Amino acid sequence: MEFESEEAAKVFYDAYATRVGFIMRVDAFRRSMRDGKVVWRRLVCNKEGFRKLRPRRSENRKPRAITREGCKAMIVVKKEKSGKWVVTRFVEEHNHQLVPIPTNGRRSILLSQTPDEKDVKIRELTAELQRERKRSAAFQEQLDMVLREMEEHSNHLSRNIDDIVQSVREIESKQVAS
């Protein structure tokens, strides 16, 4: 299959996931070395992989429910030179029970998620927001550097112009004196 955009692939797989009975999660991606745009994306079942074991920060926090079950269901799309997004990998099999949402009583994905799944989604979006903030800060730093360079160059040119004007005045005053 091929799609006009990455977003179209996401919308398609999300609709497919809803119809089949699982929740789609946007997983890994790769960026172009040339322009930094996303050129490869993996969309997975929200039960893909396993949660990393991290030491608990606080003893009074309740342990989270296990939501990751190592499911392998996924779709991988890649941007071709033509600009189209092509499916390069599709894994249909799930290792857990599916819960299709009836087409006549479609609920929103958020309503069908458990509180723990909502927490996972919030953490994923928060992590993505932090990554974008870091990128934005890096871009701001680069922009500030370019602006400083331009200001230094402008000051240098102003000094050169002042020196030239001063030299011309000296030459003119010598010519008038002679």
Side-chain angles (χ1 to χ4, degrees):
M1 286 185 79
E2 69 179 25
F3 302 94
E4 293 296 319
S5 67
E6 177 191 4
E7 190 60 33
K10 287 180 190 175
V11 168
F12 170 83
Y13 196 60
D14 190 40
Y16 166 79
T18 301
R19 193 173 63 251
V20 171
F22 68 99
I23 297 168
M24 187 249 340
R25 177 167 56 86
V26 178
D27 190 36
F29 65 91
R30 290 190 188 126
R31 292 187 182 275
S32 164
M33 296 297 278
R34 231 179 274 144
D35 59 10
K37 292 184 180 174
V38 174
V39 294
W40 181 94
R41 174 75 71 182
R42 182 170 55 217
L43 308 169
V44 299
C45 172
N46 73 320
K47 294 182 183 286
E48 179 269 345
F50 293 97
R51 180 177 293 154
K52 293 177 182 142
L53 293 174
R54 296 184 191 145
R56 290 176 63 181
R57 285 185 243 158
S58 169
E59 290 302 317
N60 50 355
R61 290 180 83 180
K62 66 176 182 156
R64 299 275 180 209
I66 303 295
T67 56
R68 302 279 180 94
E69 299 180 16
C71 183
K72 301 286 186 202
M74 75 167 77
I75 187 173
V76 175
V77 291
K78 179 182 177 185
K79 187 174 185 181
E80 297 290 321
K81 288 185 185 348
S82 66
K84 302 260 189 201
W85 286 77
V86 178
V87 175
T88 59
R89 184 162 186 222
F90 173 66
V91 178
E92 184 177 10
E93 298 81 30
H94 292 264
N95 66 349
H96 55 90
Q97 187 175 359
L98 300 173
V99 185
I101 296 176
T103 53
N104 59 353
R106 286 181 58 93
R107 299 174 291 172
S108 81
I109 293 298
L110 276 179
L111 289 176
S112 69
Q113 289 178 322
T114 66
D116 290 323
E117 289 169 334
K118 289 178 185 176
D119 289 343
V120 168
K121 188 67 174 172
I122 289 169
R123 281 195 300 279
E124 289 171 357
L125 291 171
T126 301
E128 187 174 341
L129 178 61
Q130 288 172 336
R131 284 191 300 275
E132 291 302 319
R133 282 182 175 156
K134 284 180 183 177
R135 283 185 64 218
S136 176
F139 287 141
Q140 183 66 47
E141 195 174 322
Q142 290 174 343
L143 181 60
D144 289 344
M145 187 176 71
V146 167
L147 290 173
R148 279 192 304 274
E149 291 281 344
M150 288 175 61
E151 188 174 350
E152 287 175 19
H153 186 68
S154 175
N155 289 339
H156 177 72
L157 288 175
S158 292
R159 284 191 302 273
N160 285 350
I161 290 171
D162 288 344
D163 290 344
I164 291 169
V165 168
Q166 185 62 34
S167 296
V168 168
R169 286 185 181 148
E170 288 174 10
I171 293 170
E172 287 177 347
S173 67
K174 286 179 184 177
Q175 286 177 348
V176 170
S178 337

